Amino acid sequence: MPAKIIDGTAVARAMRADLEPQIAELKERGVTPGLTVVLVGQHPASQVYVRMKGKACEEAGLRSDTIRLAETTPESELLALIDRLNADPCVHGILVQLPLPRQISTHRVLHRILPGKDVDGFHPENVGKVAAGDPTGFRPATPYGVQQLLVRSGVETRGAHAVIVGRSNIVGRPMASLLLQDGPGGNATVTVCHSRTRDLPSVTRLADILVAAMGKPRFVTADMIRPGAVVIDVGVNRVDDPRKKKGYRLVGDVDFEPALGVASAITPVPGGVGPMTITMLLYNTVQAARQ
Ligand code: GUN
């Protein structure tokens, strides 16, 4: 039987509806949750993501601002902007889109954002809180979205062996923290693999839940998946396709079609994790406004 397709778009829609009463309640108290996104440069995928984040905020009734800075912006200018946003009471969430141009230190920028406005969950204070299971910490949107997708799709994480491929600060590492925690969507046994993992397929084949987040198009092939495993594909990769108007199409980190015959459930790309990421950013912005 082919794998069940986990519909991230539908789950995200339901979760956005669940958030509406919280937003209405804040507005009744005179608070409109506001997110400011900062984009430095012209990175093509980042431009798309930033537009989608702004649109999602507006649709949800949140205040949304996007500040676009030139590729050559000095670090000092970006830090001064963050200081202004930190001090602005109308700005509840600040997100600096990554990657940043080379002249800017990502660490210095992420450390400058007030932890209470760090809706990305990348500030060390939030990383620490999430690792320690403190619910006041902001959970990074992508792994938070994966966790919610598992919970809402009825995938049992408790006692399951979750294997994460990729150790990025944006996905792999916080994903491990969340799956390890006590509570719904947690209590998994977690293995994190990366580019130096010896005999990767022998490890991925142990997974009840396999999270592919290494950013390599169709890297996870069917032979790397244990029959019946749940496969979560976090990858969003552009591959050339002359049949498409844009000249490319999006594929995940999993070789989707063959994987369908092995997995019990799988997320598609697009329409899997992506819509959940943006939804969890809305949740974090509302959490920031409430806190
Ligand atoms: N670039 C890719 N994913 C993300 C994300 O979740 N947050 C930010 N700030 N930049 C990103």
Side-chain angles (χ1 to χ4, degrees):
M1 204 168 57
K4 174 186 149 201
I5 307 287
I6 299 176
D7 184 349
T9 307
V11 175
R13 197 182 305 122
M15 286 198 72
R16 287 184 204 191
D18 288 352
L19 194 59
E20 281 170 14
Q22 287 190 49
I23 297 169
E25 189 199 315
L26 280 165
K27 284 186 170 175
E28 268 167 33
R29 289 168 29 203
V31 179
T32 300
L35 172 70
T36 298
V37 176
V38 182
L39 173 63
V40 188
Q42 311 273 325
H43 191 275
S46 290
Q47 294 195 59
V48 176
Y49 295 145
V50 164
R51 251 198 323 273
M52 287 165 72
K53 288 169 185 174
K55 189 166 164 262
C57 280
E58 279 158 24
E59 283 171 3
L62 271 54
R63 204 185 51 68
S64 144
D65 266 325
T66 301
I67 299 174
R68 292 182 165 79
L69 301 176
E71 181 82 31
T72 52
T73 301
E75 183 182 291
S76 56
E77 199 178 303
L78 178 56
L79 293 176
L81 170 62
I82 291 170
D83 290 343
R84 284 201 300 281
L85 297 172
N86 281 340
D88 185 340
C90 294
V91 175
H92 301 104
I94 303 170
L95 182 150
V96 177
Q97 187 68 26
L98 304 178
L100 287 165
R102 248 191 252 143
Q103 75 278 13
I104 298 175
S105 155
T106 302
H107 277 293
R108 270 197 291 274
V109 166
L110 296 180
H111 291 207
R112 192 71 157 239
I113 298 170
L114 273 183
K117 296 193 177 193
D118 168 40
V119 288
D120 254 332
F122 295 162
H123 187 284
E125 186 172 313
N126 285 313
V127 175
K129 281 183 169 180
V130 169
D134 177 342
T136 65
F138 291 106
R139 286 158 276 192
T142 301
Y144 188 12
V146 169
Q147 188 182 43
Q148 290 301 312
L149 201 49
L150 291 170
V151 170
R152 295 209 175 210
S153 307
V155 176
E156 181 59 271
T157 55
R158 188 173 49 158
H161 186 187
V163 175
I164 301 161
V165 191
R167 57 177 158 181
S168 72
N169 289 332
I170 296 180
V171 186
R173 288 171 207 238
M175 186 81 256
S177 273
L178 294 181
L179 288 168
L180 267 178
Q181 277 168 18
D182 201 356
N187 287 314
T189 302
V190 181
T191 301
V192 183
C193 303
H194 47 79
S195 54
R196 306 295 155 88
T197 297
R198 204 182 311 133
D199 191 7
L200 180 65
S202 72
V203 185
T204 58
R205 277 196 294 267
L206 298 174
D208 302 309
I209 299 168
L210 180 60
V211 181
M214 75 298 277
K216 292 189 179 154
R218 291 182 294 227
F219 181 85
V220 174
T221 45
D223 59 303
M224 294 168 73
I225 300 168
R226 166 151 130 179
V230 173
V231 178
I232 305 292
D233 192 349
V234 179
V236 184
N237 308 285
R238 291 182 180 194
V239 295
D240 292 340
D241 187 344
R243 288 168 304 180
K244 297 280 175 186
K245 216 161 62 188
K246 292 179 180 159
Y248 68 85
R249 72 192 152 90
L250 297 179
V251 299
D253 288 352
V254 177
D255 196 9
F256 184 75
E257 295 293 338
L260 274 177
V262 186
S264 62
I266 187 167
T267 59
V269 177
V273 174
M276 292 299 295
T277 296
I278 296 185
T279 300
M280 301 332 291
L281 179 62
L282 301 179
Y283 269 70
N284 281 350
T285 304
V286 170
Q287 182 183 331
R290 288 165 71 102
Q291 282 175 195

